[in-house]
Amino acid sequence: MYTLIAIAGLGIICLIAEIFNLRKAIVPITILGLLGSLALTVPDFGHYYRYFNSMVITNNFSAAFSCLFIILTIFLIALTPDFHKEHKAKLSDFVAIKLFLLTGAIAMVCFGNLAMFFLGIEILSIALYVLAASQPKNLKSNEAGMKYFLMGAFASGFILFGIALIYGATGSFDTSVIYGKILENQPMPAWYFIGIVMMSIGLLFKIAAVPFHFWAPDVYEGSPALTTATMSTLTKVAAIAAFFKLMTSLNLTVPGTYITIISIVSILSMTVGNITALVQTNVKRMLAFSGISHAGFMLMVFFNPIETPGTLLYYTAAYAFAGIAAFAVILSVCGDKGNEEVYNFNGLGKRNPLMAAVLTCSLLSMAGIPIFSGFFAKFFLFNQVLSTGHVAIVIIAILNSIVSVGYYFKLILAMYTKEATSEVQPTPVMYTIVAVLSIALNIAMGLQPDFVLGLLKI
């Protein structure tokens, strides 16, 4: 609760700082404020608190994901000054919007009421609409913002209609009251389950799962690269965490029919995402389809929801840190030119060995290669799904992991086997720091997985 207030207040302070021309202090103060917010969140572990008549609930789940969101936001804000160096007058706006986006993301995992859940998802979505279209003179950015706004509003309509149906069936927005009625085996009208399906459709859009994925490649490619990094990491992680919490808050057990639907969506997401990524020449589009495939992997947590909260945290953290590291390198190579073709990375191994090594490590982690945490995330996930008897989907997931190596190595080979096609550009120090710290956290998680997995067992 206090974390939400602190971060929202920090966003307002950023806007006020611009009035007094304190532009140079905005990013350092914001990062210090986020570190303070992280310190406020850590004591929530091992406790269960309710605020505002159960509108906000803090527990291990909300605390763990809130900490992850804050760390990701620190990295994203650290990248902001160099990326927007041509628009210094708007720096406070970009930083404040990311802070408000973080507020929405935390609300999405702290909700105890469906109204708070919807408020959180809309705060996050509106911030992203603005960021996607934040280059008004760029036609691709305008197109990305409009596409994301129209599709996002449509998905929000599904979520809102689903909430209305659930309220009509139970007479409450409070998830504990709804769950209590499920425990008492009270008969639920048909529209209760229709409401759950409609909310699922809206959230599957937010995580870009097939067949609700068509917006992702165009929006990822057209948006400014730093906004794409935000969508690919923070937004996707927040959406899947909220989806998991929502479904486990509204159901005692996941019905078999629902599991069948999730299985189909998971398989399609993995397969379509990986196969389509193989033919991409634009790195942002490739990572968009890679994100679609990872959404398919993440959906596998629904096969064993009692045992998989820790695995979901581990997987999302591993994916997000690898994503931040990859985008830090992409920003250092391509900047905000809007040209992220693979040939830009030719010869990077000679031009900038450190950043090439970081990008290689992040891609290997996404592919699921040891010693990186991406390998252990898939290993733990597959092991828990196998315990439920879903052998076929694990085999499909392993095959998809092998396919993904193809397009990840296309970029790696370009860096180390081809001659440079562009001049060496100086890399901003902050890009290097964020890239190295992100991949270091990824490797540390791979070496000590029990620390992250144990956060939800306290």
Side-chain angles (χ1 to χ4, degrees):
M1 178 61 205
Y2 299 111
T3 305
L4 276 172
I5 295 172
I7 293 171
L10 194 58
I12 295 170
I13 289 171
C14 284
L15 296 175
I16 294 173
E18 178 66 27
I19 298 173
F20 296 100
N21 200 26
L22 300 173
R23 201 169 293 139
K24 291 183 179 179
I26 288 174
V27 171
I29 289 174
T30 301
I31 291 175
L32 287 174
L34 287 173
L35 290 172
S37 300
L38 191 63
L40 276 177
T41 308
V42 171
D44 288 338
F45 282 103
H47 298 91
Y48 184 90
Y49 299 116
R50 293 175 176 269
Y51 302 95
F52 298 124
N53 198 24
S54 298
M55 288 288 286
V56 176
I57 293 175
T58 56
N59 53 21
N60 289 346
F61 186 89
S62 66
F65 277 99
S66 295
C67 289
L68 174 59
F69 298 164
I70 292 170
I71 293 170
L72 294 177
T73 306
I74 289 173
F75 288 147
L76 291 168
I77 288 177
L79 296 171
T80 301
D82 287 308
F83 185 77
H84 294 294
K85 61 186 176 184
E86 304 298 329
H87 303 90
K88 291 183 179 179
K90 299 179 181 178
L91 181 63
S92 61
D93 299 337
F94 289 117
V95 173
I97 290 171
K98 287 185 177 69
L99 289 172
F100 295 137
L101 187 151
L102 173 61
T103 305
I106 292 176
M108 287 168 65
V109 293
C110 292
F111 71 91
N113 187 293
L114 295 179
M116 177 57 72
F117 163 75
F118 186 73
L119 185 63
I121 205 167
E122 284 306 291
I123 291 172
L124 179 141
S125 297
I126 291 169
L128 280 176
Y129 302 153
V130 175
L131 289 174
S134 58
Q135 293 180 340
K137 295 181 181 179
N138 185 330
L139 186 61
K140 283 188 175 181
S141 178
N142 288 334
E143 180 186 352
M146 181 57 71
K147 280 185 177 179
Y148 193 48
F149 171 72
L150 292 175
M151 296 296 291
F154 192 62
S156 295
F158 272 93
I159 293 173
L160 194 57
F161 204 160
I163 290 173
L165 290 174
I166 290 172
Y167 176 77
T170 61
S172 178
F173 289 119
D174 194 315
T175 55
S176 60
V177 172
I178 296 170
Y179 193 74
K181 293 187 177 184
I182 299 293
L183 285 177
E184 294 169 3
N185 292 319
Q186 293 187 18
M188 290 292 175
W191 60 80
Y192 176 78
F193 302 102
I194 295 173
I196 288 178
V197 170
M198 294 191 76
M199 292 186 71
S200 299
I201 290 171
L203 286 164
L204 287 171
F205 166 85
K206 296 295 182 184
I207 66 172
V210 175
F212 311 103
H213 68 292
F214 292 103
W215 63 272
D218 290 342
V219 173
Y220 276 39
E221 182 182 4
S223 299
L226 188 55
T227 301
T228 305
T230 306
M231 291 179 181
S232 178
T233 55
L234 177 58
T235 304
K236 188 178 287 286
V237 170
I240 191 66
F243 192 12
F244 183 83
K245 179 174 181 178
L246 187 71
M247 291 300 108
T248 53
S249 299
L250 300 180
N251 293 286
L252 180 59
T253 56
V254 181
T257 308
Y258 191 85
I259 285 293
T260 302
I261 295 170
I262 290 294
S263 300
I264 294 169
V265 172
S266 176
I267 291 170
L268 287 174
S269 298
M270 288 186 284
T271 307
V272 172
N274 281 321
I275 291 175
T276 314
L278 285 171
V279 297
Q280 302 303 315
T281 58
N282 183 285
V283 176
K284 286 203 293 187
R285 285 186 76 89
M286 186 187 79
L287 290 178
F289 284 108
S290 168
I292 291 167
S293 72
H294 280 285
F297 285 109
M298 293 178 198
L299 287 173
M300 292 171 68
V301 297
F302 286 99
F303 297 123
N304 192 2
I306 296 175
E307 300 293 330
T308 50
T311 305
L312 177 63
L313 174 66
Y314 189 87
Y315 194 112
T316 52
Y319 168 75
F321 288 138
I324 289 285
F327 273 100
V329 179
I330 292 169
L331 291 174
S332 71
V333 173
C334 305
D336 62 348
K337 295 181 295 185
N339 177 13
E340 294 85 14
E341 296 296 316
V342 173
Y343 65 75
N344 288 306
F345 295 83
N346 290 353
L348 185 63
K350 294 179 181 179
R351 288 185 288 146
N352 194 332
L354 177 60
M355 296 303 266
V358 169
L359 183 55
T360 301
C361 291
S362 64
L363 294 173
L364 292 177
S365 178
M366 291 183 191
I369 305 296
I371 59 168
F372 304 101
S373 54
F375 166 78
F376 294 102
K378 289 182 178 179
F379 176 78
F380 297 141
L381 181 61
F382 295 166
N383 187 48
Q384 289 174 336
V385 174
L386 280 173
S387 68
T388 64
H390 293 83
V391 179
I393 195 169
V394 172
I395 293 173
I396 293 170
I398 292 171
L399 292 174
N400 271 287
S401 294
I402 295 170
V403 171
S404 70
V405 173
Y407 58 85
Y408 290 131
F409 267 83
K410 178 166 64 175
L411 192 52
I412 293 172
L413 290 173
M415 290 190 292
Y416 291 103
T417 64
K418 296 186 178 180
E419 292 298 322
T421 55
S422 59
E423 297 180 2
V424 178
Q425 298 291 334
T427 302
V429 175
M430 194 53 69
Y431 286 0
T432 304
I433 292 172
V434 170
V436 171
L437 283 179
S438 298
I439 205 63
L441 285 172
N442 182 286
I443 295 171
M445 285 175 55
L447 296 176
Q448 292 292 333
D450 289 341
F451 173 76
V452 178
L453 292 170
L455 289 176
L456 297 185
K457 296 179 181 178
I458 298 175

